[in-house]
């Protein structure tokens, strides 16, 4: 029998082996005779960690030409800081786990945005191969870091009086309404969330509201199965259902409407919480107390059913920053609200309780887009988990502009 430590030579492979009590282990014959492993499948050069804290994976599969087993490990760095299991980067909530096949599972922080370099290491016990991935964690809706992508879409050929804009959840469709075309106009994006790849889909665009409607805003729920259109003259919001999400050919008018003339005169923007039980409407004008430049809060006892909406007797005045507020948008948690002004400014507000405007306050953060929008900025929406912001200009010609908001 064999004894632990026995050494043998195999004439077929031309390698030496040592018995470990269970199997014969190949012996590396000095550094000069050993070749480092190589990555047959490299991990990606960059990777976006999930902003919601959910795990993501990257894979790097290494091989050893001499047949030695591969052992995986990791380290990382950012500037002069070096990271490993006992000293994690702030962007990770726990130690990465690495399977025997090189699958790395990463659990991100939910608070610490930033970037670091992650190194996947594959060793044969003597030499090591290394592959690097730049890891980024960002939470989107970063107005302070907003920058113009130099990408735009002219929609004036279809809607010269464009006032309302929406982007589908998957970023493959954009929708525009206004005061001239009496339609919901659809644009298809060949690259998700890249507005420069959008083309007008005349076959999908439909006339669903009458010529005496002054459409000023459009909103879809996340599934795209509910759609709402605001009216800045008659102050009547209309509700529609779509049996297939974001498919305009499946639209049905529910007949449900909401008149806000007693509170929000000159309806512009509208936004709901995820459950559809809280609705915020922006309105402006100069017609007296009911036309103040504010956002107004409504509760729906049945989610997304306008027939169950009631005014909360709560409004938040924006005229410390802007007059005649146009479109509004909230992050999913409802802790950030964005409001746009005709002069090209976007303002950010903080809410300590999601979608509760009674505790809203101006964050001090704003972004000026007048170099693109001039003085006819009318609507705002975000996409790609808040990583992209879209602004709609009315006239000369009506145009959608795209920005990065990491």
């Amino acid at each position: 029998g064999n004894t632990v430590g026995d050494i043998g030579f195999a004439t077929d492979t031309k390698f030496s082996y040592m018995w470990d009590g269970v199997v014969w282990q190949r012996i590396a014959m000095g550094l000069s005779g050993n070749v480092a492993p190589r990555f047959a499948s490299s991990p990606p050069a960059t990777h976006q960690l999930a902003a919601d804290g959910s795990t993501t994976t990257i894979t790097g599969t290494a091989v050893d030409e001499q047949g030695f087993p591969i052992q995986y490990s990791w380290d990382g760095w950012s500037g002069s800081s070096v990271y490993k299991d006992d000293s994690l980067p702030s962007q990770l909530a726990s130690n990465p786990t690495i399977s025997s096949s090189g699958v790395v599972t990463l659990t991100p922080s939910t608070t610490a945005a930033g970037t670091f370099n992650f190194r996947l290491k594959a060793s044969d016990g003597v030499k090591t191969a290394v592959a690097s991935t730049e890891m980024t964690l960002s939470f989107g809706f970063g107005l302070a870091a907003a920058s113009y992508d130099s990408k735009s879409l002219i929609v004036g050929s279809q809607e010269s009086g464009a006032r309302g804009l929406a982007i589908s959840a998957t970023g493959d469709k954009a929708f525009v309404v206004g005061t001239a075309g009496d339609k919901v106009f659809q644009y298809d994006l060949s690259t998700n969330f890249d507005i420069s790849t959008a083309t007008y889909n005349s076959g999908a665009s439909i006339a669903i509201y009458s010529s005496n409607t002054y459409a000023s805003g459009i909103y879809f729920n996340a599934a795209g199965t509910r759609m709402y259109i605001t009216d800045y003259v008659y102050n009547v919001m209309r509700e529609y259902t779509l049996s297939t999400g974001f498919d305009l050919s499946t639209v049905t008018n529910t007949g449900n409407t909401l008149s806000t003339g007693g509170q929000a005169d000159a309806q512009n923007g509208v936004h709901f919480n995820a459950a559809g039980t809280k609705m915020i409407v922006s309105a402006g004008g100069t017609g007296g107390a009911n036309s103040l430049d504010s956002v107004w809060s409504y509760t729906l006892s049945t989610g997304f059913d306008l027939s169950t909406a009631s005014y909360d007797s709560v409004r938040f005045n924006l005229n410390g920053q802007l007059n005649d507020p146009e479109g509004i948008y909230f992050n999913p948690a409802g802790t950030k609200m964005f409001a746009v002004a005709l002069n090209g400014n976007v303002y950010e507000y903080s809410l300590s309780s999601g979608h509760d405007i009674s505790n809203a306050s101006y964050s001090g953060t704003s972004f000026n887009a007048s170099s693109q929008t001039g003085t006819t900025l009318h609507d705002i929406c975000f996409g790609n988990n808040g990583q992209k912001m879209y602004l709609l200009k009315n006239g000369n010609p009506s145009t959608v502009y795209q920005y990065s908001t990491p």
Side-chain angles (χ1 to χ4, degrees):
N2 298 311
T3 301
V4 174
D6 284 352
I7 296 175
F9 180 78
T11 57
D12 55 345
T13 63
K14 308 301 182 187
F15 285 104
S16 297
Y17 297 82
M18 178 178 289
W19 180 254
D20 67 1
V22 180
V23 296
W24 288 96
Q25 299 284 1
R26 183 179 296 177
I27 301 172
M29 303 302 290
L31 293 178
S32 61
N34 181 49
V35 177
R38 63 177 178 85
F39 280 97
S41 173
S42 297
T46 61
H47 181 71
Q48 181 75 42
L49 296 166
D52 62 1
S54 59
T55 60
T56 57
T57 61
I58 61 171
T59 301
T61 304
V63 297
D64 186 83
E65 304 295 353
Q66 295 172 302
F68 289 106
I70 299 293
Q71 296 177 330
Y72 292 98
S73 61
W74 79 281
D75 63 14
W77 60 275
S78 177
S80 60
S81 299
V82 178
Y83 306 120
K84 51 186 178 179
D85 278 348
D86 60 357
S87 56
L88 292 176
S90 60
Q91 291 77 36
L92 293 182
S94 60
N95 293 334
T97 61
I98 310 175
S99 74
S100 59
S101 57
V103 178
V104 183
T105 301
L106 301 146
T107 303
S109 164
T110 56
T111 58
T115 299
F116 71 97
N117 292 284
F118 178 94
R119 298 201 312 168
L120 179 61
K121 303 164 72 174
S123 173
D124 63 3
V126 177
K127 292 187 176 180
T128 302
V130 176
S132 294
T133 299
E134 183 181 75
M135 298 286 177
T136 300
L137 177 61
S138 60
F139 300 105
F141 301 97
L143 190 65
S147 60
Y148 179 43
D149 288 344
S150 297
K151 294 182 177 182
S152 61
L153 168 68
I154 295 175
V155 299
S157 298
Q158 293 79 45
E159 178 53 83
S160 59
R163 293 183 64 116
L165 171 68
I167 302 288
S168 65
T170 55
D172 61 341
K173 294 178 181 178
F175 304 90
V176 171
V177 296
T179 58
D182 299 328
K183 280 186 177 183
V184 178
F185 295 97
Q186 177 178 315
Y187 302 83
D188 297 333
L189 287 71
S190 58
T191 299
N192 293 352
F193 301 109
D194 185 343
I195 203 67
S196 68
T197 70
T199 55
Y200 173 51
N201 188 333
S202 60
S205 302
I206 57 172
I208 60 172
Y209 52 90
S210 63
S211 59
N212 65 348
T213 298
Y214 293 82
S216 52
I218 181 171
Y219 177 87
F220 289 87
N221 66 345
T225 54
R226 293 275 182 152
M227 180 176 72
Y228 304 84
I229 295 177
T230 57
D231 182 317
Y232 78 99
V233 172
Y234 294 103
N235 300 311
V236 176
M237 188 184 308
R238 292 169 171 81
E239 173 189 302
Y240 305 84
T241 60
L242 296 84
S243 56
T244 301
F246 298 104
D247 183 347
L248 291 180
S249 69
T250 68
V251 164
T252 299
N253 188 339
T254 68
N256 292 336
T257 61
L258 177 68
S259 175
T260 63
Q263 303 91 36
D265 287 348
Q267 290 178 3
N268 283 319
V270 61
H271 202 95
F272 291 76
N273 67 355
T277 55
K278 187 67 68 175
M279 180 180 72
I280 310 297
V281 179
S282 62
T286 57
N290 290 337
S291 300
L292 293 172
D293 302 322
S294 301
V295 291
W296 309 73
S297 178
Y298 298 80
T299 293
L300 293 80
S301 57
T302 301
F304 296 109
D305 184 345
L306 279 186
S307 69
T308 70
S310 60
Y311 176 45
D312 293 334
S313 298
V314 174
R315 69 177 178 88
F316 175 66
N317 194 299
L318 305 176
N319 63 15
Q321 292 75 48
L322 70 162
N323 294 319
D324 192 14
E326 300 295 328
I328 56 172
Y329 200 93
F330 286 76
N331 69 339
T335 55
K336 287 186 178 183
M337 180 182 74
F338 303 88
V340 299
L342 288 173
N343 63 8
N345 282 325
V346 183
Y347 296 94
E348 177 186 299
Y349 299 84
S350 299
L351 295 83
S352 57
S353 180
H355 296 95
D356 182 355
I357 60 172
S358 69
N359 58 56
S361 60
Y362 177 47
S363 71
T365 300
S366 64
F367 176 76
N368 184 274
S370 60
S371 294
Q372 292 81 48
T373 65
T375 57
T376 55
L377 173 57
H378 271 279
D379 207 2
I380 179 174
C381 66
F382 287 80
N384 197 21
N385 297 316
Q387 302 291 324
K388 295 296 178 183
M389 177 176 72
Y390 306 89
L391 300 179
L392 176 65
K393 178 186 77 169
N394 180 346
N396 296 319
S398 295
T399 304
V400 180
Y401 297 96
Q402 177 180 310
Y403 305 79
S404 290
T405 48

